[in-house]
Amino acid sequence: MKISPSVLSADFTRLEKELKDIGDAGADYVHVDVMDGHFVPNISIGPFVVEAIKRATSIPLDVHLMIDAPERFVAEFAKAGSSVITVHAEATRHLHRTVQAIKELGVKAGVSINPATPVSSLEDIIEEVDLVLIMSVNPGFSGQGFIKSSLKKIARARRMIEETGRPIELEVDGGVKVENIRQIALAGADVFVSGSGIFGTKDYGKTISLMREEINAAGVKA
Ligand code: DX5
Ligand code: ZN
């Protein structure tokens, strides 16, 4: 069970301090949202800032590419210090080739799907990936509400992962908070991204502990 705070909701004027605080709070990953203004209606950060984040923290970086044709940039994001690079199934024409390219760079490969993309679209790539990311909001912004039908998709993805017998992480991103994390864990997720659900609270350590308590209450280990 991993908690991955999304720095999109952090205060970028104090990024080093924010990273230190989520490290002290027990974050397992730092979730970094990269947006290009094409694949999603927002622009965020590029490899230069990811590299700076890498220098400021020893927590592994979970880099979520919300960009078209991500194969153009995977090498740069690997070089910037990513531990996991996740691309969208909808954003690349040759998903299999892109996943291989990420793995050849020595980085874990993740594949994400948008709320309207069926889990079945992962069937012929799942054996190759290290992580599956189910979007529980339409990507582009933090602070949106969790789309409830994502729970069914998480459960479906969990079954698909079990069938492979491989240790593939199942991550959920969008609208994850202390209040709903138990249900999401019950559905089968094991990596929980949270932006406003953590950075919007006063005491990150307390929030992450509460999240772990909720996950434990779901009967799975945090
Ligand atoms: C949405 C991003 C998310 C976002 C999550 O496009 O991929 O990672 O920052 O923020 P919250 O947890 O506030 O929905
Ligand atoms: Zn994200």
Side-chain angles (χ1 to χ4, degrees):
M1 291 291 156
K2 289 182 178 154
I3 307 283
S4 188
S6 163
V7 286
L8 196 61
S9 294
D11 179 349
F12 271 63
T13 64
R14 318 158 47 243
L15 199 48
E16 186 176 15
K17 174 80 165 71
E18 294 275 64
L19 289 164
K20 187 183 175 301
D21 288 350
I22 54 165
D24 293 346
D28 302 289
Y29 277 143
V30 176
H31 186 83
V32 184
D33 288 305
V34 176
M35 304 177 178
D36 67 351
H38 287 272
F39 182 69
V40 289
N42 197 5
I43 298 176
S44 59
I45 58 166
F48 183 75
V49 176
V50 176
E51 193 266 327
I53 292 173
K54 179 70 193 169
R55 275 189 279 120
T57 182
S58 56
I59 309 167
L61 306 188
D62 159 30
V63 176
H64 178 194
L65 300 185
M66 286 161 279
I67 64 177
D68 274 327
E71 58 277 9
R72 296 172 297 157
F73 290 103
V74 291
E76 270 194 77
F77 284 103
K79 204 169 135 223
S82 310
S83 289
V84 187
I85 296 179
T86 298
V87 297
H88 270 261
E90 305 88 353
T92 177
R93 194 165 286 167
H94 300 288
L95 180 59
H96 187 277
R97 181 182 286 151
T98 305
V99 165
Q100 298 309 322
I102 296 170
K103 292 199 292 187
E104 275 162 27
L105 290 160
V107 175
K108 284 195 198 169
V111 172
S112 181
I113 53 171
N114 283 334
T117 304
V119 174
S120 58
S121 65
L122 297 172
E123 240 167 61
D124 294 300
I125 192 68
I126 195 140
E127 295 280 350
E128 306 292 330
V129 306
D130 301 297
L131 178 147
V132 166
L133 169 54
I134 305 290
M135 287 308 299
S136 42
V137 296
N138 287 291
F141 304 93
S142 53
Q144 304 180 83
F146 183 88
I147 298 172
K148 264 224 138 172
S149 54
S150 315
L151 292 172
K152 279 186 285 177
K153 292 179 72 180
I154 297 162
R156 244 177 259 144
R158 169 52 62 199
R159 283 198 292 276
M160 203 185 270
I161 288 172
E162 295 306 319
E163 274 171 30
T164 69
R166 293 187 51 242
I168 301 167
E169 294 186 305
L170 180 53
E171 183 173 48
V172 178
D173 182 9
V176 178
K177 315 240 180 243
V178 170
E179 292 72 30
N180 61 9
I181 202 165
R182 188 192 299 201
Q183 261 189 307
I184 300 166
L186 270 173
D190 56 14
V191 182
F192 305 86
V193 177
S194 181
S196 50
I198 292 173
F199 287 102
T201 64
K202 258 210 198 108
D203 184 340
Y204 305 159
K206 194 170 157 210
T207 304
I208 291 179
S209 306
L210 286 172
M211 286 179 163
R212 290 199 203 277
E213 274 173 34
E214 288 293 318
I215 295 166
N216 280 332
V220 278
K221 252 200 173 163

